Amino acid sequence: MLLTIFYILSAITLATAFLTILSKNPIHSAIYLVLCFFSIAGHYLMFNAQFLAIVHIIVYSGAIMILMLFTIMLMNLNKEDEKNKSMLSRIAAVVSFCLVAFVLLATFIKAQPTITEYAVSGKDYQSIKVLGQVLLNEYMLPFEFASVLLLVSMIGAVLLSKKQHINN
């Protein structure tokens, strides 16, 4: 039964993630992303991590999606009026994407499974106190990188939405 629920949640997560990327309407893309976040919270519930599921729903589906919707509203979505971006901004976008991909790849390669450490020590890793200690001691640097990444993405979205004035 749990395996079936896992497969259903995984299919929903993958489908909504692909629809987020492939959707041409940014509002529909944001809605698909919210559905993806809810299905990921379902995975947390399956792993018996209720606190993480609730925090995931509150933080990602609530606060970050509101910020993304404000960013979408700030952007100029009129395709007819929009000029092509300069080559410098395209190169900067590609370089920043490659840097973020490199950091994520390095993080995934460096990550070590620590399930056996948790099982052997006998500590209750479901408690908020232990979760806070783990997040702010062992994983403080990736936690701060994620916050800086979100800040930079918001600044980039606002800069992309600004109209470029051409001096005649």
Side-chain angles (χ1 to χ4, degrees):
M1 181 67 182
L2 285 176
L3 190 61
T4 306
I5 294 172
F6 175 77
Y7 284 142
I8 291 170
L9 279 175
S10 298
I12 292 171
T13 303
L14 289 175
T16 55
F18 282 123
L19 287 173
T20 299
I21 295 169
L22 298 176
S23 178
K24 294 196 184 290
N25 188 344
I27 302 297
H28 291 163
S29 181
I31 291 171
Y32 291 136
L33 189 59
V34 168
L35 291 175
C36 184
F37 287 156
F38 274 104
S39 63
I40 290 172
H43 284 284
Y44 285 140
L45 287 175
M46 284 188 60
F47 290 131
N48 201 19
Q50 293 86 4
F51 175 72
L52 285 177
I54 296 300
V55 168
H56 184 80
I57 289 173
I58 290 171
V59 171
Y60 286 105
S61 300
I64 291 179
M65 282 311 300
I66 297 278
L67 288 174
M68 288 182 74
L69 286 176
F70 278 125
T71 305
I72 289 170
M73 288 188 295
L74 282 174
M75 293 175 70
N76 182 17
L77 298 177
N78 295 329
K79 297 291 181 190
E80 305 87 35
D81 298 338
E82 187 175 330
K83 302 278 187 222
N84 288 337
K85 300 293 180 190
S86 67
M87 187 57 89
L88 182 63
S89 64
R90 290 181 185 185
I91 291 172
V94 169
V95 167
S96 62
F97 171 76
C98 289
L99 286 174
V100 169
F102 176 73
V103 167
L104 287 175
L105 185 63
T107 303
F108 288 137
I109 290 173
K110 184 97 171 145
Q112 298 291 326
T114 55
I115 295 172
T116 56
E117 174 188 327
Y118 295 153
V120 172
S121 66
K123 290 184 181 177
D124 180 21
Y125 283 92
Q126 291 292 321
S127 73
I128 299 170
K129 180 180 178 183
V130 174
L131 179 66
Q133 287 175 346
V134 168
L135 274 179
L136 295 176
N137 288 334
E138 297 174 29
Y139 297 107
M140 184 172 177
L141 193 61
F143 192 70
E144 291 299 322
F145 278 149
S147 65
V148 170
L149 181 65
L150 287 172
L151 177 67
V152 168
S153 65
M154 287 295 291
I155 291 171
V158 169
L159 288 177
L160 286 175
S161 69
K162 288 178 65 175
K163 295 183 180 185
Q164 295 177 352
H165 297 288
I166 300 172
N167 295 331
N168 290 331

